[in-house]
Amino acid sequence: MRMMGSISLMVKKQTKKLFKKYLEDKGEKYLDPLVIVKNKKKYGKLHQLWIDFRCERMAEFYRILRKAYLSGLADRSDPMFCTGIQGRNSTPERIKASNFLDYRLLAKHCDMILIMCYTYTYIRQSAEIGDTVRLYNKHLGKKICTPALLSEYEGLEIPEDQKVMHKYQLWEALMAQSRLIEYWMSYGMYNPRNLRHIAEGIRQLSPYENIL
């Protein structure tokens, strides 16, 4: 399905066929998903089923991808399969509706879920990192969510007085018991001035490593 603006939609025939089978299995009469999406208030129940269907298809993609990943490993003693997806939505239900990502379904196939926690007001949004990780870990009932944090990239330079956010957000992630932290820089060279704050944050917390 492709969306351009709010009115131009396209759903492939194979997707419609799968959706029809999905509805039949639930005892529902088929209706073209284009009609459902354009009239989601009128067809509220079918629209929710369309969202659930899309989420299940996305989870199926990750199941297949994980199987392929594991089949190519020489050492399968401790494999880790991760995915990076959009995040920072106010509720898990909202990200299902907007991105067709059901965290509970993804958690069946992913050892870790990296949430894109980009903060464009820098220090002021730092607390959102820990809040987001805790929200989704609580929703899943296990601690497998971890943040992908914003760093500099070509076209976006973090103001010098805001670069300390890298340390604050590192701390937020660790206090939420994140097992991994990723820094996103798009492309180009990584700014070593950002590494200074990350390294400082790690060094200051190192005496408390066992507690963390």
Side-chain angles (χ1 to χ4, degrees):
M1 178 177 179
R2 297 178 183 175
M3 302 187 66
M4 305 223 17
S6 59
I7 57 173
S8 181
L9 306 169
M10 181 184 74
V11 180
K12 292 184 177 181
K13 290 182 180 180
Q14 181 63 18
T15 302
K16 291 183 179 182
K17 183 178 179 180
L18 290 169
F19 184 51
K20 183 178 181 180
K21 177 67 165 56
Y22 181 83
L23 290 178
E24 289 175 350
D25 290 344
K26 295 186 177 297
E28 296 290 339
K29 187 176 180 180
Y30 175 77
L31 185 64
D32 192 298
L34 298 182
V35 176
I36 295 172
V37 172
K38 291 180 179 180
N39 303 275
K40 57 185 178 182
K41 290 185 178 180
K42 181 178 179 180
Y43 302 108
K45 182 178 180 180
L46 286 176
H47 184 250
Q48 184 58 55
L49 287 171
W50 170 248
I51 291 173
D52 293 343
F53 165 76
R54 291 295 304 275
C55 288
E56 289 190 20
R57 298 309 303 167
M58 185 67 75
E60 174 65 5
F61 165 77
Y62 278 101
R63 184 193 69 79
I64 296 170
L65 193 61
R66 179 189 178 91
K67 183 179 179 181
Y69 163 72
L70 292 176
S71 69
L73 288 182
D75 180 5
R76 303 185 189 181
S77 60
D78 188 23
M80 180 175 289
F81 182 69
C82 305
T83 181
I85 61 178
Q86 295 291 340
R88 293 187 58 235
N89 286 268
S90 56
T91 66
E93 290 71 28
R94 185 177 175 187
I95 199 170
K96 283 179 62 176
S98 62
N99 296 74
F100 304 114
L101 296 168
D102 186 325
Y103 275 60
R104 286 175 175 163
L105 292 179
L106 292 179
K108 294 180 179 180
H109 310 297
C110 301
D111 301 296
M112 197 169 292
I113 299 175
L114 278 69
I115 308 171
M116 298 178 187
C117 295
Y118 302 159
T119 54
Y120 293 98
T121 58
Y122 313 122
I123 292 175
R124 190 171 69 182
Q125 288 181 279
S126 291
E128 295 181 14
I129 307 305
D131 292 343
T132 300
V133 172
R134 279 186 285 268
L135 169 69
Y136 285 101
N137 279 340
K138 182 178 180 180
H139 175 66
L140 293 175
K142 54 183 177 179
K143 297 170 182 176
I144 66 169
C145 292
T146 189
L149 302 178
L150 179 68
S151 185
E152 288 186 353
Y153 55 85
E154 188 173 338
L156 176 71
E157 182 175 351
I158 299 172
E160 190 63 38
D161 64 343
Q162 297 291 309
K163 290 183 186 295
V164 71
M165 79 170 194
H166 289 96
K167 178 169 68 172
Y168 298 156
Q169 293 182 5
L170 168 74
W171 288 352
E172 284 286 339
L174 291 175
M175 291 302 291
Q177 296 182 296
S178 297
R179 296 165 55 199
L180 176 72
I181 300 171
E182 176 188 67
Y183 287 91
W184 174 253
M185 58 161 291
S186 186
Y187 51 85
M189 296 292 291
Y190 198 94
N191 190 335
R193 290 180 296 175
N194 297 335
L195 293 174
R196 173 170 61 88
H197 294 292
I198 296 170
E200 183 179 85
I202 294 172
R203 176 174 53 79
Q204 290 173 330
L205 286 179
S206 58
Y208 310 102
E209 182 176 357
N210 290 336
I211 298 175
L212 292 170

